[in-house]
């Protein structure tokens, strides 16, 4: 099951900025980096790849593909 959410370009850029910073901070913190790595492999990375599609930063998440199962 999926969900479509529509944002203005401005709102989408704000979401990208906040998400990028949050993932970077959590990925570097001693207490949370392992969970971030697990989440990135379990779907977060794929979601971020889609969020950044066609934008600067897309290549950062290029290794994450949607898992079909």
């Amino acid at each position: 099951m999926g969900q479509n959410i529509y944002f203005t370009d401005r709102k989408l850029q704000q979401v990208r900025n906040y998400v990028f910073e949050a993932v970077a901070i959590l990925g570097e913190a001693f207490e949370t980096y392992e969970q971030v790595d697990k989440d990135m492999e379990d779907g977060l990375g794929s979601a971020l790849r889609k969020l950044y599609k066609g934008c600067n930063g897309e290549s950062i998440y290029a290794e994450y593909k949607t898992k079909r199962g």
Side-chain angles (χ1 to χ4, degrees):
M1 182 170 89
Q3 183 174 0
N4 292 324
I5 301 173
Y6 299 97
F7 294 108
T8 64
D9 289 340
R10 180 173 171 260
K11 288 179 183 177
L12 192 53
Q13 187 57 48
Q14 288 174 319
V15 169
R16 286 186 191 114
N17 290 341
Y18 275 88
V19 168
F20 181 77
E21 290 299 322
V23 169
I25 290 167
L26 292 170
E28 293 174 0
F30 179 75
E31 298 85 15
T32 56
Y33 77 93
E34 289 178 345
Q35 185 63 47
V36 171
D37 283 343
K38 182 180 181 298
D39 291 343
M40 292 295 283
E41 291 297 328
D42 288 343
L44 179 60
S46 176
L48 293 175
R49 182 177 52 84
K50 292 174 186 177
L51 182 64
Y52 278 87
K53 187 172 182 143
C55 299
N56 289 338
E58 180 180 6
S59 62
I60 296 169
Y61 305 106
E63 68 183 88
Y64 301 100
K65 303 290 183 193
T66 302
K67 293 181 181 177
R68 307 282 182 205

